[in-house]
Amino acid sequence: MLLMENHYVLKGESKKDQDGGEEKQPQKKKVKELKILDSKSSQNLSIFLGSFRLPYEEIKNAILQVNEKILTESMVQNLIKQLPGPEQLTVLGEMKDEYDDLAESEQFGVVMSSVKRLMPRLQAIQFKLQFEEQLNNIKPDVVAVTAACEELRKSETFAKLLQIILLVGNYMNSGSRNGSAFGFSISYLCKLRDTKSADLKQTLLHFLANVCHEQYPDVMSFPEELIHVEKASRVSAETIQKNLDQMGRQIKNLEKDLETFPPAQNENDQFVEKMSSFVSHAQEQYEKLDLMHKNMEKQYNDLGEYFIFDPRKISVEEFFGDLSNFKNMFQQAVKENQKRKEAEEKIRKAKLAREKAEKEKEEKLKRSQLPDINAEGDETGIMDGLLEALQSGAAFRRKRGPRQAANHRRAGHAVTNILAKELMQEDTSSSSKIPKKKVKSDKEEPKLEGAESLEELLDPVSSRSN
């Protein structure tokens, strides 16, 4: 151990000798003591300033000029959140002589303290930067609800569908106290899927979709007439009213601030000029939006009278939510009906093909079991076989074989020869004693064995025919 210590001590000493006998230590940055702000607020403000890396004077001028190229929405939002309070800014404003001795966060506070009514300026700039976004968030919702109300009132196909549903409901409830209803709640539409058939394969909604498809095809296009219903189902009338009220308050507060705002600090101060033009534009847009909102409320109230419901109890979101769900369920039922019909058609075709194959197989088996009426010596049940052959048509399709045709030709020649022979004998007997001469033809006609007369020849032929 002593040897090891000596070894490492020697190495350390040799390094010190190379560096000139003294070790160089890094210089630590001198941390300035906070005088006004607490450590947490100072740290958060320093992080915010470090993310933008802009000179403090440039940030100050951007606020005075309302320079939207430098002042983004997130930057103004963080400034409002991280800036010291008014009292702290006042104290920091009195410490201009000690500027170099202050921490960076407190130095920024000293620069910002020279801006009059800093917080109202920042809040007004933030409202200006957010105004178009707020407008674009409210206006589409108002337009969607208004359009959805108008579509429902004008849709003839949807009204006809409601009539069909009412008719089916009265038929199903016939005999009960609900059997002669004059109407039903829109919320009932989503419950059509809960009523199922006896085999549990279909629902009442599937039945209605099938009836409309076969008997009322024009009703099938009602989803195309209610294109804004789905978007209106995501709109909260309460949120629209809340955002509109907040927008109106912000415009009024800004108008009051501009009326009492102090004159410009210097040539860079353009706050009053720019914000005055913005207020007039914002007020105009707000009035238009407010009129649209009032029209939306009127349309929804009229819709309540048309469909007999209380608009104060059933919200816009709830009413159009039920309609949107029903529209989607109806379209899904139509697709399921189509798939079921295609499956049934495939089963029907397969059944027909199977029956046809079985029938052909039976006919082929019957044809193979028919007796052969051409077979010689088999006279058992010949009449039954002949009748069956006549009924099936097999007797008319039978062809004469080559052997039978040859026999019939030979029989015809033999009959001709016998008739000629008999005629010749009669002639010789009636003539005056003329000696008989045997006449031989160059070509002898074929004879049937044992057939000397026409009767002998015809006897076996007639027996075979019988």
Side-chain angles (χ1 to χ4, degrees):
M1 294 294 292
L2 183 61
L3 181 61
M4 186 179 294
E5 289 177 1
N6 292 335
H7 176 70
Y8 283 106
V9 168
L10 289 172
K11 285 186 74 174
E13 289 177 354
S14 62
K15 188 173 181 180
K16 284 182 182 179
D17 294 339
Q18 290 177 0
D19 295 339
E22 294 182 0
E23 289 185 356
K24 293 183 179 179
Q25 295 181 354
Q27 294 181 357
K28 293 182 179 180
K29 189 175 181 180
K30 186 178 179 181
V31 179
K32 296 179 181 180
E33 185 180 353
L34 294 172
K35 297 182 178 180
I36 304 298
L37 302 178
D38 59 272
S39 60
K40 187 176 181 181
S41 300
S42 175
Q43 184 181 6
N44 292 336
L45 187 57
S46 298
I47 293 171
F48 162 70
L49 295 172
S51 63
F52 288 98
R53 299 183 179 278
L54 290 173
Y56 303 153
E57 286 293 333
E58 189 173 344
I59 296 175
K60 171 189 169 182
N61 291 330
I63 295 172
L64 292 172
Q65 296 171 359
V66 194
N67 188 348
E68 297 181 18
K69 294 180 179 179
I70 297 176
L71 297 175
T72 61
E73 184 180 343
S74 61
M75 181 180 181
V76 175
Q77 212 168 14
N78 280 305
L79 274 172
I80 294 172
K81 185 178 179 180
Q82 306 296 342
L83 268 178
E87 296 179 357
Q88 292 176 325
L89 285 175
T90 303
V91 175
L92 288 171
E94 297 173 356
M95 301 176 67
K96 292 180 181 179
D97 298 336
E98 304 176 20
Y99 183 82
D100 294 335
D101 297 332
L102 298 175
E104 291 182 356
S105 56
E106 291 180 335
Q107 288 178 352
F108 178 73
V110 171
V111 175
M112 291 295 107
S113 64
S114 62
V115 180
K116 296 178 182 179
R117 303 188 69 174
L118 176 61
M119 194 56 65
R121 284 176 187 259
L122 291 174
Q123 290 173 349
I125 293 172
Q126 183 185 22
F127 174 60
K128 184 177 186 299
L129 294 172
Q130 294 177 345
F131 180 76
E132 290 298 328
E133 183 180 355
Q134 292 179 6
L135 201 67
N136 293 331
N137 287 338
I138 299 173
K139 187 182 288 186
D141 291 345
V142 174
V143 170
V145 175
T146 305
C149 292
E150 292 176 354
E151 288 170 356
L152 276 173
R153 290 290 301 272
K154 294 178 180 179
S155 177
E156 296 180 359
T157 56
F158 183 67
K160 192 171 184 179
L161 175 63
L162 295 180
Q163 293 176 5
I164 297 170
I165 294 172
L166 180 62
L167 180 64
V168 172
N170 284 334
Y171 177 79
M172 294 178 66
N173 295 325
S174 59
S176 66
R177 61 186 181 88
N178 297 327
S180 57
F182 293 100
F184 57 89
S185 175
I186 291 294
S187 61
Y188 174 74
L189 293 175
C190 296
K191 298 178 182 178
L192 293 173
R193 194 171 57 177
D194 299 337
T195 305
K196 297 186 178 181
S197 59
D199 57 0
L200 302 179
K201 292 182 179 180
Q202 295 186 48
T203 65
L204 182 57
L205 186 60
H206 289 90
F207 172 76
L208 284 168
N210 190 45
V211 168
C212 293
H213 179 72
E214 293 180 354
Q215 301 182 21
Y216 307 97
D218 54 326
V219 174
M220 303 297 292
S221 63
F222 87 91
E224 300 173 3
E225 298 180 359
L226 307 179
I227 57 177
H228 288 92
V229 167
E230 185 176 357
K231 190 171 183 180
S233 65
R234 299 191 296 267
V235 174
S236 172
E238 184 180 354
T239 304
I240 292 177
Q241 186 66 57
K242 184 180 177 181
N243 291 337
L244 269 175
D245 294 342
Q246 182 181 358
M247 184 183 291
R249 285 194 303 269
Q250 287 176 319
I251 293 173
K252 288 180 179 179
N253 292 336
L254 183 55
E255 286 178 341
K256 290 180 180 179
D257 288 343
L258 291 174
E259 290 174 359
T260 61
F261 215 80
Q265 293 182 207
N266 50 44
E267 65 277 1
N268 291 329
D269 192 357
Q270 302 175 8
F271 178 80
V272 176
E273 179 184 352
K274 289 189 176 181
M275 296 308 293
S276 297
S277 62
F278 164 70
V279 164
S280 60
H281 168 71
Q283 182 65 34
E284 182 182 354
Q285 294 296 321
Y286 170 76
E287 290 175 356
K288 289 181 180 179
L289 190 60
D290 189 50
L291 285 174
M292 292 172 62
H293 179 251
K294 289 178 180 177
N295 181 44
M296 181 199 83
E297 290 181 331
K298 183 179 179 301
Q299 291 283 350
Y300 187 64
N301 291 331
D302 293 344
L303 198 66
E305 293 181 2
Y306 184 75
F307 286 108
I308 318 299
F309 70 90
D310 190 353
R312 294 171 296 180
K313 294 181 179 179
I314 301 177
S315 64
V316 171
E317 189 174 5
E318 183 181 357
F319 178 79
F320 287 108
D322 289 339
L323 283 177
S324 178
N325 291 335
F326 170 71
K327 186 180 77 168
N328 295 334
M329 287 191 297
F330 186 87
Q331 291 175 322
Q332 182 65 26
V334 171
K335 292 179 182 178
E336 291 172 358
N337 284 344
Q338 184 65 26
K339 289 181 180 179
R340 190 185 71 256
K341 288 180 179 179
E342 291 175 357
E344 290 175 353
E345 183 65 19
K346 287 181 180 179
I347 294 172
R348 189 184 67 82
K349 289 182 179 179
K351 184 179 179 181
L352 289 175
R354 187 168 60 252
E355 291 176 353
K356 184 179 180 182
E358 291 177 357
K359 189 175 180 181
E360 290 178 353
K361 186 177 180 181
E362 290 177 359
E363 289 180 356
K364 185 176 181 182
L365 184 62
K366 285 181 180 179
R367 286 197 299 269
S368 64
Q369 292 177 352
L370 290 176
D372 188 5
I373 61 175
N374 298 322
E376 295 182 1
D378 187 9
E379 298 180 356
T380 309
I382 191 66
M383 291 302 295
D384 295 338
L386 181 59
L387 288 173
E388 190 172 357
L390 289 171
Q391 290 175 356
S392 64
F396 302 103
R397 292 192 297 269
R398 186 163 51 87
K399 294 182 179 180
R400 180 182 295 177
R403 185 175 179 182
Q404 291 175 334
N407 289 337
H408 281 288
R409 285 195 298 270
R410 285 198 297 271
H413 289 304
V415 169
T416 305
N417 292 334
I418 291 171
L419 290 173
K421 185 177 179 181
E422 290 180 355
L423 291 173
M424 289 175 66
Q425 288 177 357
E426 291 178 357
D427 292 339
T428 53
S429 61
S430 60
S431 63
S432 56
K433 296 180 182 180
I434 298 174
K436 298 180 180 179
K437 290 183 181 180
K438 198 173 184 180
V439 180
K440 292 183 180 180
S441 59
D442 295 337
K443 294 182 181 179
E444 296 182 355
E445 295 292 336
K447 296 182 178 179
L448 291 176
E449 296 179 358
E452 295 296 335
S453 65
L454 181 61
E455 290 80 1
E456 292 177 2
L457 179 65
L458 292 177
D459 285 339
V461 175
S462 62
S463 65
R464 281 198 301 268
S465 300
N466 293 331

